[in-house]
Amino acid sequence: MSSVLVISGSPSRTSKTERIGEHVAQRLATSGRTADHLRVRTLPADALLGADTRAPAIADAIGRVAEADGIVLATPTYKAAYSGLLKAFLDLLPQFGFAGKAVLPLATGGTISHVLAIDYALRPVVHSLGARHAVQSFFLLDKHISVVDGQLSVHPDSAEPLADVIEQFSKALDGVPHSTVLGRTA
Amino acid sequence: MSSVLVISGSPSRTSKTERIGEHVAQRLATSGRTADHLRVRTLPADALLGADTRAPAIADAIGRVAEADGIVLATPTYKAAYSGLLKAFLDLLPQFGFAGKAVLPLATGGTISHVLAIDYALRPVVHSLGARHAVQSFFLLDKHISVVDGQLSVHPDSAEPLADVIEQFSKALDGVPHSTVLGRTA
Amino acid sequence: MSSVLVISGSPSRTSKTERIGEHVAQRLATSGRTADHLRVRTLPADALLGADTRAPAIADAIGRVAEADGIVLATPTYKAAYSGLLKAFLDLLPQFGFAGKAVLPLATGGTISHVLAIDYALRPVVHSLGARHAVQSFFLLDKHISVVDGQLSVHPDSAEPLADVIEQFSKALDGVPHSTVLGRTA
Amino acid sequence: MSSVLVISGSPSRTSKTERIGEHVAQRLATSGRTADHLRVRTLPADALLGADTRAPAIADAIGRVAEADGIVLATPTYKAAYSGLLKAFLDLLPQFGFAGKAVLPLATGGTISHVLAIDYALRPVVHSLGARHAVQSFFLLDKHISVVDGQLSVHPDSAEPLADVIEQFSKALDGVPHSTVLGRTA
């Protein structure tokens, strides 16, 4: 059984990014696959910013990354790049903390003019962590995401391509036999 | 009288990056110029990660950026990019928070193989903040920085080029008449 | 008297990028400043692609870069980056071929979603060439550029910010006393 | 039977990059897989720089890309990025010319300080072309490559990791059932 960890990096409690992360986790948690969601903003701030990897909640979060077969990174776009909050957590992972894993990079943003930030800024970080397979990324316009009565709604122009990248990520997760992945990362 | 703010983004109390930031501040604080040093790790972690720009210490730090004519960014290199801690602070600045300002990007790192991170990762963020003039950046090898009896020592191979970039930054600060800068950023 | 060289990197004879390059050259050629325009597509293709820097037309073009105080780079956006044609010429310049110079990076493209390519892709190349001052870049939508009866027309939404970046570049050219620039690059 | 196309982008006839491309092609041409090598410098220069995709040799090269299941990109590092020559060819491909394909990015360079160019500069271009799976990239120091009596020799420090990335690329090529790949790119 494969497992996925969604890591969302918005500082806001009412974040659309976080809602998308939750949505993706639910979509991926099917047919014998578990999907969990780590909201970086819920980690203890002092330990996170002080890089205290021995703090129990931080150590636990790092352990959840280590155990996952697939990682989804969901970040808002700030200052033409990923959020500092997300990066502060990635900074605490071991040097090749994504080795053997499939990774799906997702970003949200107010304007389509930020779309390249995900491939120019986030993807090199993902590869420095040694990811086995970082699939095509996806950028969601904020205005395509709405929450009505607690229910997430994604505009059709974004919903279909989002479903596609989730499907591709799903195949990337399963594409290589599990034993091979273990062998390669051992 | 022009003023400079050094912003250092290492999570460590014993950081070499922070020591270099202090060194650069001292070098720039000459002949009628003030130079201050903001260590991002000393800001209240909850407010920083929660993006609470109304928290007094955060609001004060943002104000210090607004008032400075020049900004020095000093960051360790983590995962092939700037630190999440530094970015978490930059994320709180107004959209064009560096408008009219000269900026000097500095990074430290364990291996020369990270040297391009500063121009490929940090520089685009600096320009998204609207910097007037981001001068040539500088990368310092960790092993070229040592602290003996509380005194910082920079290896000659790095000391001379570091002095050069400080000199260039100094000229960029003063190169444009102050009234012009004010006019452009008004 | 300062001098500017516009380098345009579109492979097309009817290129809007090239027309914008011409427009910028004309705007900059004022009050005792010369402005020249190098269309990379007019260089001998064999010598350019074979990196033959001794071919007279290539050697002449490299010499024009060396003599200019300011460089404007005008490129279409292809595959989320600058054109290969422009880069093929930049590849022939000496390692610090932009030392002491002010540089204005301009790009054109069909969609605003490519706007970050200029800062993430082109700007690091400009800095690897040792530019003294690369000012804020500018991205022009193709549809904002039209040529009617041989006359270039820029949509008002782009014309005003374009005039602003030309003005900023103009100040960067003149901002540092010429003797200082000479001293720094000697 | 899967097929691979190595595309090398050095302007030099005696290029180490090209030799590495040849080496990788030979390593991949095993057990029912074909591997071909396209040296961009051998394409007609006028047609390449003029973006004339109807010129027979250019049309043929574009067709070879379309037919390949896997692409290896081999480029020297110039001015902190890929060669203009390689990019000039990639510029001629259709918008999603790498859809459904596995891609291995390789670079050579004189100093380890250029290693990030491959992930920050080349990888975003690969993804703009819609690659299915761009595996971990590899950077080779020039001094680790030697040719003695026409025989390529790779320094042991580079030979082993190079063999690893070729192995990973090989798995990425075969990892997804061929019919699935066809289905996705149809």
Side-chain angles (χ1 to χ4, degrees), chain A residues 124-163:
Chain A
V125 171
V126 168
H127 277 280
S128 89
L129 282 158
R132 168 174 65 82
H133 186 173
V135 301
Q136 285 288 334
S137 57
F138 192 64
F139 179 88
L140 266 144
L141 277 172
D142 288 339
K143 67 180 178 192
H144 282 189
I145 309 167
S146 53
V147 181
V148 181
D149 292 339
Q151 280 293 108
L152 177 76
S153 169
V154 178
H155 190 283
D157 287 358
S158 286
E160 203 176 324
L162 177 60

mmCIF file of all heavy atoms in Angstrom, chain A residues 124-163:
data_model
loop_
_atom_site.group_PDB
_atom_site.id
_atom_site.type_symbol
_atom_site.label_atom_id
_atom_site.label_comp_id
_atom_site.label_asym_id
_atom_site.label_seq_id
_atom_site.Cartn_x
_atom_site.Cartn_y
_atom_site.Cartn_z
ATOM 1 N N PRO A 124 13.645 23.307 -8.542
ATOM 2 C CA PRO A 124 15.052 23.046 -8.202
ATOM 3 C C PRO A 124 15.239 22.624 -6.739
ATOM 4 O O PRO A 124 16.115 21.815 -6.436
ATOM 5 C CB PRO A 124 15.742 24.388 -8.477
ATOM 6 C CG PRO A 124 14.888 25.040 -9.517
ATOM 7 C CD PRO A 124 13.474 24.651 -9.165
ATOM 8 N N VAL A 125 14.422 23.152 -5.847
ATOM 9 C CA VAL A 125 14.494 22.744 -4.441
ATOM 10 C C VAL A 125 14.084 21.276 -4.305
ATOM 11 O O VAL A 125 14.730 20.492 -3.599
ATOM 12 C CB VAL A 125 13.594 23.656 -3.576
ATOM 13 C CG1 VAL A 125 13.483 23.115 -2.154
ATOM 14 C CG2 VAL A 125 14.133 25.088 -3.575
ATOM 15 N N VAL A 126 13.019 20.912 -5.001
ATOM 16 C CA VAL A 126 12.538 19.522 -4.983
ATOM 17 C C VAL A 126 13.641 18.581 -5.465
ATOM 18 O O VAL A 126 13.875 17.519 -4.875
ATOM 19 C CB VAL A 126 11.278 19.380 -5.863
ATOM 20 C CG1 VAL A 126 10.942 17.903 -6.098
ATOM 21 C CG2 VAL A 126 10.098 20.114 -5.232
ATOM 22 N N HIS A 127 14.361 18.975 -6.508
ATOM 23 C CA HIS A 127 15.413 18.099 -7.038
ATOM 24 C C HIS A 127 16.651 18.092 -6.165
ATOM 25 O O HIS A 127 17.363 17.095 -6.103
ATOM 26 C CB HIS A 127 15.729 18.452 -8.489
ATOM 27 C CG HIS A 127 14.759 17.804 -9.416
ATOM 28 N ND1 HIS A 127 14.864 16.484 -9.789
ATOM 29 C CD2 HIS A 127 13.612 18.252 -9.964
ATOM 30 C CE1 HIS A 127 13.842 16.158 -10.555
ATOM 31 N NE2 HIS A 127 13.065 17.215 -10.686
ATOM 32 N N SER A 128 16.898 19.202 -5.466
ATOM 33 C CA SER A 128 18.035 19.180 -4.539
ATOM 34 C C SER A 128 17.764 18.191 -3.407
ATOM 35 O O SER A 128 18.684 17.673 -2.789
ATOM 36 C CB SER A 128 18.309 20.577 -3.972
ATOM 37 O OG SER A 128 17.562 20.813 -2.803
ATOM 38 N N LEU A 129 16.493 17.897 -3.156
ATOM 39 C CA LEU A 129 16.118 16.914 -2.136
ATOM 40 C C LEU A 129 16.116 15.488 -2.702
ATOM 41 O O LEU A 129 15.745 14.539 -2.010
ATOM 42 C CB LEU A 129 14.740 17.266 -1.550
ATOM 43 C CG LEU A 129 14.748 18.412 -0.519
ATOM 44 C CD1 LEU A 129 13.376 19.068 -0.389
ATOM 45 C CD2 LEU A 129 15.183 17.881 0.845
ATOM 46 N N GLY A 130 16.510 15.359 -3.973
ATOM 47 C CA GLY A 130 16.727 14.027 -4.537
ATOM 48 C C GLY A 130 15.481 13.293 -4.992
ATOM 49 O O GLY A 130 15.503 12.058 -5.093
ATOM 50 N N ALA A 131 14.418 14.018 -5.305
ATOM 51 C CA ALA A 131 13.170 13.367 -5.715
ATOM 52 C C ALA A 131 13.401 12.392 -6.872
ATOM 53 O O ALA A 131 14.158 12.677 -7.791
ATOM 54 C CB ALA A 131 12.150 14.415 -6.125
ATOM 55 N N ARG A 132 12.710 11.253 -6.805
ATOM 56 C CA ARG A 132 12.794 10.273 -7.891
ATOM 57 C C ARG A 132 12.076 10.779 -9.127
ATOM 58 O O ARG A 132 12.550 10.651 -10.251
ATOM 59 C CB ARG A 132 12.155 8.956 -7.435
ATOM 60 C CG ARG A 132 11.913 7.943 -8.555
ATOM 61 C CD ARG A 132 11.405 6.604 -8.030
ATOM 62 N NE ARG A 132 10.092 6.669 -7.400
ATOM 63 C CZ ARG A 132 8.922 6.658 -8.062
ATOM 64 N NH1 ARG A 132 8.895 6.613 -9.375
ATOM 65 N NH2 ARG A 132 7.782 6.708 -7.403
ATOM 66 N N HIS A 133 10.900 11.358 -8.938
ATOM 67 C CA HIS A 133 10.071 11.772 -10.063
ATOM 68 C C HIS A 133 9.185 12.947 -9.654
ATOM 69 O O HIS A 133 8.200 12.768 -8.954
ATOM 70 C CB HIS A 133 9.193 10.584 -10.507
ATOM 71 C CG HIS A 133 8.409 10.851 -11.759
ATOM 72 N ND1 HIS A 133 7.675 9.907 -12.403
ATOM 73 C CD2 HIS A 133 8.256 11.987 -12.491
ATOM 74 C CE1 HIS A 133 7.087 10.422 -13.468
ATOM 75 N NE2 HIS A 133 7.428 11.684 -13.536
ATOM 76 N N ALA A 134 9.564 14.136 -10.092
ATOM 77 C CA ALA A 134 8.710 15.307 -9.859
ATOM 78 C C ALA A 134 7.868 15.515 -11.112
ATOM 79 O O ALA A 134 8.394 15.881 -12.164
ATOM 80 C CB ALA A 134 9.552 16.533 -9.559
ATOM 81 N N VAL A 135 6.595 15.234 -11.014
ATOM 82 C CA VAL A 135 5.719 15.281 -12.196
ATOM 83 C C VAL A 135 5.428 16.725 -12.602
ATOM 84 O O VAL A 135 5.820 17.668 -11.917
ATOM 85 C CB VAL A 135 4.402 14.506 -11.938
ATOM 86 C CG1 VAL A 135 4.700 13.046 -11.606
ATOM 87 C CG2 VAL A 135 3.585 15.163 -10.842
ATOM 88 N N GLN A 136 4.718 16.891 -13.719
ATOM 89 C CA GLN A 136 4.333 18.233 -14.157
ATOM 90 C C GLN A 136 3.632 18.964 -13.015
ATOM 91 O O GLN A 136 2.779 18.407 -12.334
ATOM 92 C CB GLN A 136 3.398 18.153 -15.371
ATOM 93 C CG GLN A 136 4.112 17.782 -16.684
ATOM 94 C CD GLN A 136 4.991 18.907 -17.232
ATOM 95 O OE1 GLN A 136 4.741 20.082 -16.961
ATOM 96 N NE2 GLN A 136 6.023 18.551 -17.961
ATOM 97 N N SER A 137 4.006 20.203 -12.827
ATOM 98 C CA SER A 137 3.452 21.013 -11.749
ATOM 99 C C SER A 137 2.113 21.628 -12.172
ATOM 100 O O SER A 137 1.714 21.551 -13.324
ATOM 101 C CB SER A 137 4.437 22.125 -11.402
ATOM 102 O OG SER A 137 4.704 22.901 -12.563
ATOM 103 N N PHE A 138 1.435 22.243 -11.210
ATOM 104 C CA PHE A 138 0.165 22.886 -11.537
ATOM 105 C C PHE A 138 -0.009 24.170 -10.736
ATOM 106 O O PHE A 138 0.296 24.224 -9.544
ATOM 107 C CB PHE A 138 -1.011 21.939 -11.268
ATOM 108 C CG PHE A 138 -2.305 22.436 -11.853
ATOM 109 C CD1 PHE A 138 -2.444 22.564 -13.229
ATOM 110 C CD2 PHE A 138 -3.361 22.815 -11.037
ATOM 111 C CE1 PHE A 138 -3.626 23.051 -13.781
ATOM 112 C CE2 PHE A 138 -4.536 23.296 -11.579
ATOM 113 C CZ PHE A 138 -4.672 23.414 -12.952
ATOM 114 N N PHE A 139 -0.517 25.200 -11.436
ATOM 115 C CA PHE A 139 -0.743 26.507 -10.833
ATOM 116 C C PHE A 139 -2.240 26.818 -10.867
ATOM 117 O O PHE A 139 -2.872 26.735 -11.928
ATOM 118 C CB PHE A 139 0.026 27.572 -11.627
ATOM 119 C CG PHE A 139 -0.151 28.971 -11.109
ATOM 120 C CD1 PHE A 139 0.686 29.484 -10.123
ATOM 121 C CD2 PHE A 139 -1.161 29.796 -11.610
ATOM 122 C CE1 PHE A 139 0.519 30.782 -9.649
ATOM 123 C CE2 PHE A 139 -1.329 31.099 -11.136
ATOM 124 C CZ PHE A 139 -0.484 31.582 -10.153
ATOM 125 N N LEU A 140 -2.789 27.167 -9.739
ATOM 126 C CA LEU A 140 -4.216 27.477 -9.634
ATOM 127 C C LEU A 140 -4.438 28.950 -9.332
ATOM 128 O O LEU A 140 -3.893 29.479 -8.344
ATOM 129 C CB LEU A 140 -4.830 26.690 -8.482
ATOM 130 C CG LEU A 140 -5.480 25.359 -8.819
ATOM 131 C CD1 LEU A 140 -5.225 24.375 -7.693
ATOM 132 C CD2 LEU A 140 -6.988 25.556 -9.004
ATOM 133 N N LEU A 141 -5.248 29.591 -10.124
ATOM 134 C CA LEU A 141 -5.628 30.980 -9.822
ATOM 135 C C LEU A 141 -6.522 31.013 -8.581
ATOM 136 O O LEU A 141 -7.471 30.231 -8.471
ATOM 137 C CB LEU A 141 -6.395 31.581 -11.000
ATOM 138 C CG LEU A 141 -5.558 32.146 -12.131
ATOM 139 C CD1 LEU A 141 -6.452 32.518 -13.308
ATOM 140 C CD2 LEU A 141 -4.777 33.379 -11.648
ATOM 141 N N ASP A 142 -6.238 31.928 -7.678
ATOM 142 C CA ASP A 142 -7.065 32.083 -6.475
ATOM 143 C C ASP A 142 -8.551 32.182 -6.816
ATOM 144 O O ASP A 142 -9.396 31.602 -6.147
ATOM 145 C CB ASP A 142 -6.665 33.363 -5.716
ATOM 146 C CG ASP A 142 -5.323 33.233 -5.029
ATOM 147 O OD1 ASP A 142 -4.887 32.098 -4.780
ATOM 148 O OD2 ASP A 142 -4.704 34.282 -4.764
ATOM 149 N N LYS A 143 -8.835 32.938 -7.877
ATOM 150 C CA LYS A 143 -10.251 33.175 -8.189
ATOM 151 C C LYS A 143 -10.951 31.926 -8.732
ATOM 152 O O LYS A 143 -12.171 31.917 -8.862
ATOM 153 C CB LYS A 143 -10.389 34.344 -9.175
ATOM 154 C CG LYS A 143 -9.828 34.077 -10.545
ATOM 155 C CD LYS A 143 -10.021 35.302 -11.458
ATOM 156 C CE LYS A 143 -9.404 35.025 -12.829
ATOM 157 N NZ LYS A 143 -9.293 36.244 -13.648
ATOM 158 N N HIS A 144 -10.185 30.911 -9.040
ATOM 159 C CA HIS A 144 -10.775 29.647 -9.471
ATOM 160 C C HIS A 144 -11.119 28.735 -8.294
ATOM 161 O O HIS A 144 -11.625 27.639 -8.476
ATOM 162 C CB HIS A 144 -9.837 28.911 -10.433
ATOM 163 C CG HIS A 144 -9.856 29.462 -11.826
ATOM 164 N ND1 HIS A 144 -9.230 28.853 -12.881
ATOM 165 C CD2 HIS A 144 -10.451 30.573 -12.340
ATOM 166 C CE1 HIS A 144 -9.424 29.563 -13.979
ATOM 167 N NE2 HIS A 144 -10.140 30.617 -13.680
ATOM 168 N N ILE A 145 -10.787 29.199 -7.097
ATOM 169 C CA ILE A 145 -11.037 28.401 -5.898
ATOM 170 C C ILE A 145 -12.063 29.132 -5.045
ATOM 171 O O ILE A 145 -11.866 30.296 -4.704
ATOM 172 C CB ILE A 145 -9.751 28.234 -5.060
ATOM 173 C CG1 ILE A 145 -8.588 27.743 -5.949
ATOM 174 C CG2 ILE A 145 -9.979 27.291 -3.887
ATOM 175 C CD1 ILE A 145 -7.226 27.850 -5.269
ATOM 176 N N SER A 146 -13.145 28.449 -4.700
ATOM 177 C CA SER A 146 -14.092 29.095 -3.790
ATOM 178 C C SER A 146 -14.583 28.071 -2.767
ATOM 179 O O SER A 146 -14.583 26.872 -3.013
ATOM 180 C CB SER A 146 -15.256 29.724 -4.555
ATOM 181 O OG SER A 146 -15.842 28.768 -5.406
ATOM 182 N N VAL A 147 -14.971 28.590 -1.629
ATOM 183 C CA VAL A 147 -15.478 27.734 -0.565
ATOM 184 C C VAL A 147 -16.863 28.243 -0.200
ATOM 185 O O VAL A 147 -17.019 29.380 0.240
ATOM 186 C CB VAL A 147 -14.554 27.762 0.671
ATOM 187 C CG1 VAL A 147 -15.102 26.850 1.757
ATOM 188 C CG2 VAL A 147 -13.139 27.343 0.279
ATOM 189 N N VAL A 148 -17.846 27.405 -0.469
ATOM 190 C CA VAL A 148 -19.227 27.790 -0.178
ATOM 191 C C VAL A 148 -19.814 26.789 0.820
ATOM 192 O O VAL A 148 -19.803 25.589 0.549
ATOM 193 C CB VAL A 148 -20.072 27.795 -1.481
ATOM 194 C CG1 VAL A 148 -21.512 28.214 -1.177
ATOM 195 C CG2 VAL A 148 -19.452 28.727 -2.519
ATOM 196 N N ASP A 149 -20.262 27.312 1.942
ATOM 197 C CA ASP A 149 -20.797 26.443 2.998
ATOM 198 C C ASP A 149 -19.805 25.340 3.368
ATOM 199 O O ASP A 149 -20.184 24.167 3.525
ATOM 200 C CB ASP A 149 -22.128 25.806 2.551
ATOM 201 C CG ASP A 149 -23.240 26.848 2.430
ATOM 202 O OD1 ASP A 149 -23.112 27.925 3.049
ATOM 203 O OD2 ASP A 149 -24.208 26.582 1.703
ATOM 204 N N GLY A 150 -18.544 25.742 3.446
ATOM 205 C CA GLY A 150 -17.545 24.759 3.851
ATOM 206 C C GLY A 150 -17.134 23.787 2.755
ATOM 207 O O GLY A 150 -16.279 22.930 2.976
ATOM 208 N N GLN A 151 -17.736 23.932 1.580
ATOM 209 C CA GLN A 151 -17.433 23.017 0.480
ATOM 210 C C GLN A 151 -16.513 23.685 -0.534
ATOM 211 O O GLN A 151 -16.814 24.795 -1.005
ATOM 212 C CB GLN A 151 -18.726 22.617 -0.253
ATOM 213 C CG GLN A 151 -19.523 21.543 0.441
ATOM 214 C CD GLN A 151 -18.789 20.205 0.447
ATOM 215 O OE1 GLN A 151 -18.292 19.768 1.495
ATOM 216 N NE2 GLN A 151 -18.686 19.577 -0.720
ATOM 217 N N LEU A 152 -15.434 23.020 -0.887
ATOM 218 C CA LEU A 152 -14.524 23.558 -1.891
ATOM 219 C C LEU A 152 -15.102 23.398 -3.289
ATOM 220 O O LEU A 152 -15.661 22.357 -3.633
ATOM 221 C CB LEU A 152 -13.193 22.806 -1.837
ATOM 222 C CG LEU A 152 -12.162 23.239 -2.894
ATOM 223 C CD1 LEU A 152 -11.533 24.566 -2.522
ATOM 224 C CD2 LEU A 152 -11.092 22.176 -3.067
ATOM 225 N N SER A 153 -14.974 24.464 -4.077
ATOM 226 C CA SER A 153 -15.403 24.387 -5.462
ATOM 227 C C SER A 153 -14.282 24.925 -6.354
ATOM 228 O O SER A 153 -13.762 26.017 -6.109
ATOM 229 C CB SER A 153 -16.682 25.217 -5.643
ATOM 230 O OG SER A 153 -16.970 25.360 -7.011
ATOM 231 N N VAL A 154 -13.895 24.146 -7.359
ATOM 232 C CA VAL A 154 -12.831 24.562 -8.280
ATOM 233 C C VAL A 154 -13.453 24.857 -9.645
ATOM 234 O O VAL A 154 -14.222 24.052 -10.177
ATOM 235 C CB VAL A 154 -11.752 23.462 -8.413
ATOM 236 C CG1 VAL A 154 -10.670 23.895 -9.407
ATOM 237 C CG2 VAL A 154 -11.130 23.149 -7.061
ATOM 238 N N HIS A 155 -13.133 26.012 -10.194
ATOM 239 C CA HIS A 155 -13.640 26.432 -11.502
ATOM 240 C C HIS A 155 -13.313 25.361 -12.547
ATOM 241 O O HIS A 155 -12.207 24.815 -12.547
ATOM 242 C CB HIS A 155 -12.986 27.768 -11.873
ATOM 243 C CG HIS A 155 -13.581 28.424 -13.080
ATOM 244 N ND1 HIS A 155 -13.317 28.010 -14.358
ATOM 245 C CD2 HIS A 155 -14.430 29.468 -13.206
ATOM 246 C CE1 HIS A 155 -13.965 28.771 -15.217
ATOM 247 N NE2 HIS A 155 -14.653 29.673 -14.539
ATOM 248 N N PRO A 156 -14.272 25.077 -13.442
ATOM 249 C CA PRO A 156 -14.039 24.032 -14.448
ATOM 250 C C PRO A 156 -12.739 24.212 -15.239
ATOM 251 O O PRO A 156 -12.074 23.228 -15.567
ATOM 252 C CB PRO A 156 -15.263 24.158 -15.378
ATOM 253 C CG PRO A 156 -16.323 24.747 -14.522
ATOM 254 C CD PRO A 156 -15.627 25.648 -13.531
ATOM 255 N N ASP A 157 -12.347 25.472 -15.517
ATOM 256 C CA ASP A 157 -11.107 25.692 -16.279
ATOM 257 C C ASP A 157 -9.880 25.143 -15.549
ATOM 258 O O ASP A 157 -8.857 24.839 -16.169
ATOM 259 C CB ASP A 157 -10.884 27.195 -16.529
ATOM 260 C CG ASP A 157 -11.849 27.744 -17.569
ATOM 261 O OD1 ASP A 157 -12.645 26.954 -18.116
ATOM 262 O OD2 ASP A 157 -11.817 28.959 -17.810
ATOM 263 N N SER A 158 -9.963 25.062 -14.215
ATOM 264 C CA SER A 158 -8.853 24.516 -13.441
ATOM 265 C C SER A 158 -9.122 23.088 -12.970
ATOM 266 O O SER A 158 -8.175 22.319 -12.756
ATOM 267 C CB SER A 158 -8.581 25.392 -12.203
ATOM 268 O OG SER A 158 -7.961 26.599 -12.573
ATOM 269 N N ALA A 159 -10.381 22.741 -12.805
ATOM 270 C CA ALA A 159 -10.712 21.433 -12.220
ATOM 271 C C ALA A 159 -10.223 20.283 -13.098
ATOM 272 O O ALA A 159 -9.673 19.287 -12.587
ATOM 273 C CB ALA A 159 -12.222 21.323 -11.994
ATOM 274 N N GLU A 160 -10.396 20.431 -14.392
ATOM 275 C CA GLU A 160 -10.023 19.326 -15.280
ATOM 276 C C GLU A 160 -8.502 19.135 -15.345
ATOM 277 O O GLU A 160 -8.015 18.016 -15.133
ATOM 278 C CB GLU A 160 -10.609 19.570 -16.677
ATOM 279 C CG GLU A 160 -10.767 18.299 -17.477
ATOM 280 C CD GLU A 160 -11.449 18.575 -18.810
ATOM 281 O OE1 GLU A 160 -12.347 19.456 -18.862
ATOM 282 O OE2 GLU A 160 -11.061 17.919 -19.799
ATOM 283 N N PRO A 161 -7.736 20.205 -15.611
ATOM 284 C CA PRO A 161 -6.273 19.992 -15.601
ATOM 285 C C PRO A 161 -5.750 19.552 -14.234
ATOM 286 O O PRO A 161 -4.785 18.786 -14.159
ATOM 287 C CB PRO A 161 -5.701 21.356 -16.008
ATOM 288 C CG PRO A 161 -6.833 22.321 -15.972
ATOM 289 C CD PRO A 161 -8.100 21.553 -16.083
ATOM 290 N N LEU A 162 -6.394 20.010 -13.147
ATOM 291 C CA LEU A 162 -5.970 19.551 -11.822
ATOM 292 C C LEU A 162 -6.193 18.050 -11.682
ATOM 293 O O LEU A 162 -5.328 17.318 -11.168
ATOM 294 C CB LEU A 162 -6.733 20.306 -10.717
ATOM 295 C CG LEU A 162 -6.441 19.866 -9.279
ATOM 296 C CD1 LEU A 162 -4.964 20.034 -8.926
ATOM 297 C CD2 LEU A 162 -7.293 20.646 -8.274
ATOM 298 N N ALA A 163 -7.348 17.581 -12.148
ATOM 299 C CA ALA A 163 -7.617 16.137 -12.108
ATOM 300 C C ALA A 163 -6.572 15.384 -12.924
ATOM 301 O O ALA A 163 -6.121 14.297 -12.534
ATOM 302 C CB ALA A 163 -9.026 15.852 -12.629
#
